[in-house]
Amino acid sequence: MSSPGLSRRLGLGDAVVIGLGAMIGAGVFAAFAPAAQAAGSGLLIGLGIAAVVAFGNATSTAQLAAVHPTSGGVYAYGRAELGPWWGFLAGWGFVIGKTASCAAMALTFAAYVAPPGWERPLAALAAVTLGAVNLLGITRTAQVARILVTIVLVILALVAVAGFSAPPSALGWSAGPLAAGPLGILQAGGILFFAFAGYARIATLGEEVRDPERTIPRAIVLAFSGALLVYALIGVVALGVLGSDALAASSAPLIDVVRAAGWDAAAPAVRIGAAAASLGALLALIAGVGRTSFAMAREGDLPRILATVDARWRVPRNAEITVIAVVVVIVALGDVRGAIGFSSFGVLLYYLVANIAAFRQTGDARRYPRILQIVGAAGCVALVVTLPWPAVPVGVGVLLAGLGYRMLRLRRQRA
């Protein structure tokens, strides 16, 4: 008996909220400190570079989504526009990269709220709990995401007000934004790119959005624009209040911002906001990785058992349970910075395929000038080669393992 299909239940607001939930949690509470370690006060230039590259990628994704309203995002677009191997390259990069992102968000959540020594168990519990929410249906995912995003935006507004009331740090700009050199700035851009990649979650929901040809492109641009505004504001505040050295050394930079402003009573609220942001990102990430794994399994690029759709809740049950199990393993063994770097490698590969696929589109399918696809593709290549060194060789190794798996599967089919 064939498995039931997914159900179109999401509107424009739901899609935007899921995208914002994926992006805002990732960057504001996890990426600024390692970006400051790489670039110092040049992290704002890195943020600008990441935003330009991400905008090129976002418009490419939106253009493709309007023509291919199906689950799987760039995995499906790459297969349709470039061929199965290109699609597999994008899908595998997304699955491995965003599974690492899930672990990074779970660990970030635990870093803000867990008692010492309990970070990993609590991170694993968060992954299992939000995985269970996703298994109850995509509308439950959107409802919880809306609550979490609202909490986060209120708390970030509080941080911004506190930051602008604080005396500026004399160390914020003392070394100059170019002191880390081009390599440091590009490394920061690669790390901060991790923060913008949440709009991919919208594209992976192509079979669960109403009127996807119109809704998905609009939702991608709206979510990206909102996240960029938030990142720019909080980046300026954090760097201006703490200075680049203190920001780089901080494990909870936004709490340090409110304390530097003399708003110590707001620190618990910031912890709540950090927890909500991380959980919102984790919720959207699990949904996105599950849908891409589902799409790949449906085509035979992952074990077909992952293509099972729950008859009651209309979610890719087996794919999401597998994602949750892998995230728990990574949480037990990994760390936040390593997970962010590895995630950026996989996601930059994913968007490189998106830009190439969108560049080939012609006629009525074109929505944006080709220069945006060229900028996006060139930016992906430039950022991936400047990621922290463990991320690149490990990423290449996992990528080759996936390609080897597909090659063996095809040989067995022919035999």
Side-chain angles (χ1 to χ4, degrees):
M1 181 180 295
S2 62
S3 176
L6 302 178
S7 178
R8 297 194 183 278
R9 300 178 177 178
L10 302 179
L12 176 62
D14 297 320
V16 171
V17 165
I18 288 174
L20 280 175
M23 284 188 277
I24 292 177
V28 171
F29 294 96
F32 278 118
Q37 292 172 15
S41 59
L43 75 86
L44 293 179
I45 301 176
L47 178 64
I49 292 172
V52 170
V53 175
F55 182 72
N57 297 339
T59 53
S60 292
T61 305
Q63 180 174 294
L64 290 161
V67 178
H68 306 287
T70 184
S71 286
V74 179
Y75 167 71
Y77 312 154
R79 283 181 65 90
E81 297 286 345
L82 302 171
W85 279 102
W86 285 95
F88 181 85
L89 192 68
W92 185 243
F94 182 86
V95 168
I96 62 174
K98 287 306 176 183
T99 301
S101 293
C102 290
M105 288 302 95
L107 289 166
T108 300
F109 162 73
Y112 274 88
V113 302
W118 287 87
E119 289 85 354
R120 294 186 191 278
L122 189 59
L125 178 62
V128 171
T129 302
L130 292 187
V133 171
N134 273 317
L135 290 173
L136 294 177
I138 193 63
T139 53
R140 298 290 190 282
T141 300
Q143 288 166 2
V144 175
R146 194 180 300 274
I147 294 169
L148 293 172
V149 167
T150 301
I151 294 171
V152 171
L153 292 178
V154 170
I155 298 302
L156 290 178
L158 175 67
V159 172
V161 171
F164 283 117
S165 72
S169 169
L171 302 176
W173 317 93
S174 59
L178 302 178
L183 180 60
I185 290 172
L186 285 175
Q187 282 185 337
I191 292 168
L192 290 166
F193 180 84
F194 161 88
F196 283 107
Y199 50 78
R201 237 68 66 241
I202 302 170
T204 62
L205 303 174
E207 290 179 43
E208 296 165 277
V209 173
R210 296 190 297 270
D211 190 14
E213 294 86 351
R214 295 181 66 251
T215 299
I216 292 179
R218 291 168 63 196
I220 287 173
V221 173
L222 288 171
F224 172 82
S225 301
L228 175 58
L229 179 63
V230 171
Y231 292 142
L233 177 64
I234 299 300
V236 168
V237 166
L239 187 62
V241 173
L242 299 180
S244 57
D245 292 341
L247 179 58
S250 176
S251 60
L254 300 194
I255 289 179
D256 291 341
V257 166
V258 296
R259 285 177 174 163
W263 292 31
D264 290 39
V270 176
R271 289 192 183 278
I272 293 171
S278 303
L279 292 177
L282 179 57
L283 183 72
L285 284 164
I286 293 173
V289 178
R291 269 68 181 177
T292 302
S293 301
F294 162 77
M296 295 180 73
R298 189 167 56 183
E299 298 291 345
D301 281 335
L302 288 178
R304 289 193 183 275
I305 192 173
L306 301 181
T308 300
V309 175
D310 187 277
R312 179 180 180 186
W313 302 112
R314 298 295 183 91
V315 296
R317 182 189 62 230
N318 292 355
E320 295 213 347
I321 291 173
T322 302
V323 170
I324 296 162
V326 174
V327 170
V328 170
V329 172
I330 298 174
V331 161
L333 302 175
D335 64 87
V336 172
R337 181 166 186 178
I340 289 175
F342 182 73
S343 171
S344 294
F345 174 87
V347 175
L348 286 164
L349 176 65
Y350 176 84
Y351 285 118
L352 175 62
V353 175
N355 285 301
I356 295 172
F359 185 84
R360 293 184 73 254
Q361 290 183 297
T362 58
D364 292 340
R366 295 213 60 82
R367 288 172 173 245
Y368 304 99
R370 280 190 168 91
I371 186 63
L372 289 176
Q373 286 110 57
I374 295 172
V375 169
C380 288
V381 173
L383 293 180
V384 79
V385 299
T386 60
L387 289 172
W389 76 265
V392 177
V394 172
V396 170
V398 176
L399 177 63
L400 291 176
L403 294 173
Y405 164 79
R406 187 172 195 272
M407 190 177 298
L408 288 173
R409 183 184 66 78
L410 292 176
R411 283 183 179 177
R412 287 179 179 176
Q413 282 184 346
R414 286 195 295 267

